[in-house]
PDB file of all heavy atoms in Angstrom:
ATOM      1  N   THR A  80      90.248  89.709  76.964  1.00  0.00           N
ATOM      2  CA  THR A  80      89.199  90.370  76.188  1.00  0.00           C
ATOM      3  C   THR A  80      88.217  91.065  77.126  1.00  0.00           C
ATOM      4  O   THR A  80      88.055  90.679  78.284  1.00  0.00           O
ATOM      5  CB  THR A  80      88.433  89.338  75.347  1.00  0.00           C
ATOM      6  OG1 THR A  80      87.904  88.332  76.223  1.00  0.00           O
ATOM      7  CG2 THR A  80      89.356  88.693  74.329  1.00  0.00           C
ATOM      8  N   HIS A  81      87.575  92.088  76.613  1.00  0.00           N
ATOM      9  CA  HIS A  81      86.552  92.813  77.370  1.00  0.00           C
ATOM     10  C   HIS A  81      87.100  93.305  78.710  1.00  0.00           C
ATOM     11  O   HIS A  81      86.438  93.191  79.750  1.00  0.00           O
ATOM     12  CB  HIS A  81      85.316  91.945  77.612  1.00  0.00           C
ATOM     13  CG  HIS A  81      84.784  91.314  76.369  1.00  0.00           C
ATOM     14  ND1 HIS A  81      84.304  92.053  75.310  1.00  0.00           N
ATOM     15  CD2 HIS A  81      84.676  90.011  76.000  1.00  0.00           C
ATOM     16  CE1 HIS A  81      83.891  91.238  74.346  1.00  0.00           C
ATOM     17  NE2 HIS A  81      84.123  89.981  74.735  1.00  0.00           N
ATOM     18  N   ALA A  82      88.313  93.846  78.702  1.00  0.00           N
ATOM     19  CA  ALA A  82      88.900  94.367  79.937  1.00  0.00           C
ATOM     20  C   ALA A  82      88.087  95.553  80.439  1.00  0.00           C
ATOM     21  O   ALA A  82      87.787  96.470  79.683  1.00  0.00           O
ATOM     22  CB  ALA A  82      90.345  94.791  79.685  1.00  0.00           C
ATOM     23  N   PRO A  83      87.696  95.572  81.728  1.00  0.00           N
ATOM     24  CA  PRO A  83      86.830  96.618  82.244  1.00  0.00           C
ATOM     25  C   PRO A  83      87.565  97.897  82.642  1.00  0.00           C
ATOM     26  O   PRO A  83      87.035  98.687  83.423  1.00  0.00           O
ATOM     27  CB  PRO A  83      86.200  95.940  83.473  1.00  0.00           C
ATOM     28  CG  PRO A  83      87.257  95.013  83.958  1.00  0.00           C
ATOM     29  CD  PRO A  83      87.960  94.510  82.728  1.00  0.00           C
ATOM     30  N   ILE A  84      88.776  98.107  82.161  1.00  0.00           N
ATOM     31  CA  ILE A  84      89.534  99.318  82.500  1.00  0.00           C
ATOM     32  C   ILE A  84      90.186  99.862  81.236  1.00  0.00           C
ATOM     33  O   ILE A  84      90.217  99.187  80.204  1.00  0.00           O
ATOM     34  CB  ILE A  84      90.612  99.015  83.569  1.00  0.00           C
ATOM     35  CG1 ILE A  84      91.578  97.948  83.063  1.00  0.00           C
ATOM     36  CG2 ILE A  84      89.986  98.588  84.868  1.00  0.00           C
ATOM     37  CD1 ILE A  84      92.713  97.676  84.019  1.00  0.00           C
ATOM     38  N   PRO A  85      90.731 101.112  81.271  1.00  0.00           N
ATOM     39  CA  PRO A  85      91.346 101.709  80.084  1.00  0.00           C
ATOM     40  C   PRO A  85      92.468 100.853  79.502  1.00  0.00           C
ATOM     41  O   PRO A  85      93.120 100.072  80.203  1.00  0.00           O
ATOM     42  CB  PRO A  85      91.886 103.037  80.618  1.00  0.00           C
ATOM     43  CG  PRO A  85      91.011 103.358  81.777  1.00  0.00           C
ATOM     44  CD  PRO A  85      90.681 102.039  82.409  1.00  0.00           C
ATOM     45  N   THR A  86      92.713 101.041  78.202  1.00  0.00           N
ATOM     46  CA  THR A  86      93.688 100.211  77.485  1.00  0.00           C
ATOM     47  C   THR A  86      95.078 100.254  78.115  1.00  0.00           C
ATOM     48  O   THR A  86      95.760  99.233  78.206  1.00  0.00           O
ATOM     49  CB  THR A  86      93.772 100.677  76.017  1.00  0.00           C
ATOM     50  OG1 THR A  86      92.468 100.595  75.437  1.00  0.00           O
ATOM     51  CG2 THR A  86      94.728  99.781  75.231  1.00  0.00           C
ATOM     52  N   ASP A  87      95.514 101.451  78.554  1.00  0.00           N
ATOM     53  CA  ASP A  87      96.863 101.563  79.093  1.00  0.00           C
ATOM     54  C   ASP A  87      97.035 100.847  80.434  1.00  0.00           C
ATOM     55  O   ASP A  87      98.138 100.767  80.967  1.00  0.00           O
ATOM     56  CB  ASP A  87      97.271 103.037  79.231  1.00  0.00           C
ATOM     57  CG  ASP A  87      96.396 103.799  80.218  1.00  0.00           C
ATOM     58  OD1 ASP A  87      95.295 103.305  80.548  1.00  0.00           O
ATOM     59  OD2 ASP A  87      96.802 104.887  80.647  1.00  0.00           O
ATOM     60  N   GLN A  88      95.931 100.334  80.976  1.00  0.00           N
ATOM     61  CA  GLN A  88      96.006  99.603  82.234  1.00  0.00           C
ATOM     62  C   GLN A  88      95.685  98.120  82.075  1.00  0.00           C
ATOM     63  O   GLN A  88      95.486  97.397  83.051  1.00  0.00           O
ATOM     64  CB  GLN A  88      95.038 100.223  83.256  1.00  0.00           C
ATOM     65  CG  GLN A  88      95.413 101.623  83.695  1.00  0.00           C
ATOM     66  CD  GLN A  88      96.718 101.639  84.482  1.00  0.00           C
ATOM     67  OE1 GLN A  88      96.872 100.897  85.453  1.00  0.00           O
ATOM     68  NE2 GLN A  88      97.649 102.459  84.062  1.00  0.00           N
ATOM     69  N   HIS A  89      95.632  97.655  80.814  1.00  0.00           N
ATOM     70  CA  HIS A  89      95.285  96.249  80.568  1.00  0.00           C
ATOM     71  C   HIS A  89      96.282  95.289  81.214  1.00  0.00           C
ATOM     72  O   HIS A  89      95.936  94.143  81.521  1.00  0.00           O
ATOM     73  CB  HIS A  89      95.194  95.978  79.069  1.00  0.00           C
ATOM     74  CG  HIS A  89      93.875  96.381  78.486  1.00  0.00           C
ATOM     75  ND1 HIS A  89      93.475  96.034  77.214  1.00  0.00           N
ATOM     76  CD2 HIS A  89      92.850  97.107  79.004  1.00  0.00           C
ATOM     77  CE1 HIS A  89      92.275  96.532  76.977  1.00  0.00           C
ATOM     78  NE2 HIS A  89      91.881  97.183  78.052  1.00  0.00           N
ATOM     79  N   TRP A  90      97.515  95.738  81.410  1.00  0.00           N
ATOM     80  CA  TRP A  90      98.507  94.865  82.020  1.00  0.00           C
ATOM     81  C   TRP A  90      98.090  94.454  83.433  1.00  0.00           C
ATOM     82  O   TRP A  90      98.461  93.380  83.918  1.00  0.00           O
ATOM     83  CB  TRP A  90      99.878  95.539  82.047  1.00  0.00           C
ATOM     84  CG  TRP A  90      99.944  96.756  82.928  1.00  0.00           C
ATOM     85  CD1 TRP A  90      99.691  98.043  82.568  1.00  0.00           C
ATOM     86  CD2 TRP A  90     100.289  96.807  84.322  1.00  0.00           C
ATOM     87  NE1 TRP A  90      99.850  98.896  83.641  1.00  0.00           N
ATOM     88  CE2 TRP A  90     100.217  98.155  84.727  1.00  0.00           C
ATOM     89  CE3 TRP A  90     100.655  95.836  85.262  1.00  0.00           C
ATOM     90  CZ2 TRP A  90     100.489  98.564  86.029  1.00  0.00           C
ATOM     91  CZ3 TRP A  90     100.926  96.248  86.557  1.00  0.00           C
ATOM     92  CH2 TRP A  90     100.841  97.594  86.918  1.00  0.00           C
ATOM     93  N   THR A  91      97.291  95.306  84.109  1.00  0.00           N
ATOM     94  CA  THR A  91      96.845  94.944  85.457  1.00  0.00           C
ATOM     95  C   THR A  91      95.851  93.789  85.414  1.00  0.00           C
ATOM     96  O   THR A  91      95.754  93.014  86.366  1.00  0.00           O
ATOM     97  CB  THR A  91      96.216  96.154  86.173  1.00  0.00           C
ATOM     98  OG1 THR A  91      95.059  96.597  85.448  1.00  0.00           O
ATOM     99  CG2 THR A  91      97.208  97.289  86.280  1.00  0.00           C
TER     100      THR A  91
END
Side-chain angles (χ1 to χ4, degrees):
T80 57
H81 309 297
I84 59 176
T86 302
D87 63 343
Q88 293 294 307
H89 278 191
W90 66 270
T91 62

